[in-house]
Amino acid sequence: MSSHPHLVLSGMQPTNTLHLGNYLGALKNWVKIQDEMPCLYCVVDMHALTQDSAYGHPKEVAQSTREVTAAYIASGVDPTRSTLFNQSQVHQHAELAWIFNCVARLGWLDRMTQFKEKTGKHKERASVGLYTYPVLMAADILVYRATHVPVGEDQRQHLELTRDISQKFNNDFDAPDFFPLPEPVITGHATRVMSLRDGTKKMSKTDESDYSRINLVDDADTIAQKIRKAKTDPNPLPDGEKGLEGRPEAENLLNIFAALAETPRDAVIARFAGQTFSVFKNELVDLAVEKLTPIAAEMTRLLADPAEIDRILKRGAEAASELAAPVLKDVKQLIGLIG
Ligand code: TYM
């Protein structure tokens, strides 16, 4: 059993706008877990620099950092209860990441599927930052000795790497249990929300088609249009779990409904059994508009006062630094760095 007190850390990249996958896969769970343990929520602006849409676009990085902060708060992350900050203001993340670069092995990073998916055949053109990205993520988590990490399914492999780094560090420096083995918290009906245009592809910020995703800032009409245009198949909705086999679009839309309504998926299936997609989509539009438009409205309100957002981030960064500093000091001592 780990002796580490329960502590949550998670983060999102400020690149483009957040979408329904970010919300259902992660943010919604962040809000809930605030009632169970102390939480740190980070806007990972240094990770964003690994993306073409952010690197070389300073205004967009700053704007998106504020937008993502506003999205956290508008979704229910409470900055008076949770520590909310941007990664680059807490220098211990980058320092620990360097040390972890010396712990992690090339073979481990070579196995990262997200890197392979993002670079395709052009690995040699990718930045070194994109390659070592999961090492910085491990530092984000372990610099606080966080024990729980609420994320979507796509982050599972990165968290396994975090655990490998933690374990190797503890072994190499003969410091059993110095770092915890953080647990992924991957829960809910929508741990992997799929594209509205193709039920076999993940909903993503970088998909060319805006119709593939619902953005948190979309208005009611846009949400309705995207859901009505979402790809389906010609059959009516199934009357049981088995009927979903080979129907990824139906499965995805039912998962989204269940997650938004916070109802078990089998109850949603039972409710719409045998109905046409158009009947189901009308209900899904109403539900999505009801749940998402208040978030967009609150984001707009918060973004009208960027100085207040910056103050929240600064306060959070100061609190986070206080937690990270003693851990980094102990790390340095363990590995023989003077000072
Ligand atoms: P990012 O910014 O790609 O995504 C943020 C969160 O949203 C989840 N997510 C999804 N969940 C369900 N369905 C989807 N289609 C979907 N798309 C995204 C992600 O799983 C994630 O939880 N590496 C991380 C950021 C990060 C981090 C950390 C996370 C950096 N340091 C430390 C946790 C702890 C990332 O790129 O997430």
Side-chain angles (χ1 to χ4, degrees):
M1 250 317 266
S2 162
S3 58
H4 296 277
H6 287 181
L7 180 68
V8 169
L9 180 127
S10 199
M12 297 199 184
Q13 294 192 64
T15 43
N16 308 321
T17 60
L18 298 186
H19 55 66
L20 188 64
N22 301 126
Y23 178 65
L24 295 178
L27 253 178
K28 219 164 171 296
N29 296 327
W30 294 10
V31 174
K32 274 204 199 121
I33 208 168
Q34 289 181 118
D35 298 331
E36 294 165 36
M37 40 187 113
C39 300
L40 291 142
Y41 294 125
C42 183
V43 182
V44 293
D45 48 2
M46 293 196 299
H47 274 111
L49 300 179
T50 64
Q51 312 279 336
D52 292 341
S53 60
Y55 179 81
H57 304 281
K59 284 204 190 94
E60 280 82 349
V61 174
Q63 173 58 20
S64 183
T65 299
R66 293 190 184 105
E67 246 186 51
V68 170
T69 308
Y72 288 2
I73 300 171
S75 303
V77 170
D78 177 353
T80 64
R81 281 203 290 162
S82 297
T83 305
L84 211 167
F85 64 103
N86 58 313
Q87 183 189 37
S88 63
Q89 281 204 75
V90 184
H91 61 84
Q92 287 89 353
H93 290 234
E95 272 187 72
L96 187 60
W98 175 258
I99 293 164
F100 284 171
N101 273 331
C102 303
V103 176
R105 305 290 101 178
L106 275 185
W108 300 358
L109 288 178
D110 277 339
R111 281 197 289 276
M112 294 295 113
T113 52
Q114 268 204 4
F115 178 79
K116 288 186 211 168
E117 281 162 21
K118 279 189 185 154
T119 54
K121 290 194 189 94
H122 303 290
K123 181 177 166 181
E124 69 287 351
R125 277 195 237 150
S127 73
V128 176
L130 186 65
Y131 187 68
T132 65
Y133 168 120
V135 176
L136 177 58
M137 177 164 163
D140 297 337
I141 298 165
L142 293 173
V143 81
Y144 305 102
R145 295 197 171 111
T147 53
H148 292 77
V149 186
V151 283
E153 182 61 46
D154 62 345
Q155 297 300 316
R156 191 183 286 282
Q157 195 188 33
H158 290 156
L159 286 173
E160 279 163 16
L161 184 93
T162 300
R163 291 164 68 93
D164 288 343
I165 290 176
S166 168
Q167 203 153 34
K168 183 163 166 30
F169 182 94
N170 292 352
N171 286 339
D172 290 350
F173 296 97
D174 200 19
D177 213 28
F178 179 82
F179 284 124
L181 295 181
E183 282 175 32
V185 181
I186 301 175
T187 61
H189 300 291
T191 56
R192 190 174 170 82
V193 178
M194 308 308 277
S195 156
L196 300 180
R197 310 297 291 162
D198 177 352
T200 64
K201 265 173 58 185
K202 192 179 72 172
M203 183 178 284
S204 127
K205 292 175 195 156
T206 49
D207 195 311
E208 277 163 24
S209 165
D210 198 50
Y211 275 84
S212 69
R213 62 185 160 258
I214 294 173
N215 300 308
L216 284 188
V217 293
D218 284 345
D219 61 21
D221 285 347
T222 312
I223 294 173
Q225 262 186 36
K226 287 178 174 178
I227 291 176
R228 297 220 165 88
K229 287 206 164 132
K231 185 178 169 197
T232 51
D233 57 46
N235 299 319
L237 286 151
D239 57 9
E241 290 280 340
K242 265 200 154 301
L244 286 176
E245 278 167 28
R247 302 182 67 189
E249 284 83 17
E251 182 169 17
N252 187 38
L253 293 176
L254 286 164
N255 285 346
I256 291 173
F257 194 103
L260 283 172
E262 299 186 46
T263 328
R265 187 167 92 169
D266 51 6
V268 181
I269 294 176
R271 177 167 157 198
F272 292 103
Q275 304 263 18
T276 61
F277 271 106
S278 69
V279 169
F280 168 72
K281 280 180 168 181
N282 281 338
E283 299 271 335
L284 181 57
V285 167
D286 289 347
L287 178 64
V289 167
E290 179 201 323
K291 298 285 181 179
L292 300 178
T293 51
I295 298 177
E298 182 60 4
M299 279 179 70
T300 307
R301 194 188 68 77
L302 291 163
L303 285 164
D305 188 357
E308 175 58 15
I309 293 186
D310 292 0
R311 277 192 289 276
I312 291 171
L313 290 174
K314 191 156 187 354
R315 267 201 302 275
E318 282 162 6
S321 281
E322 272 182 36
L323 294 175
V327 178
L328 192 69
K329 193 164 187 286
D330 288 352
V331 168
K332 285 182 169 176
Q333 197 171 24
L334 273 173
I335 63 183
L337 301 176
I338 294 170

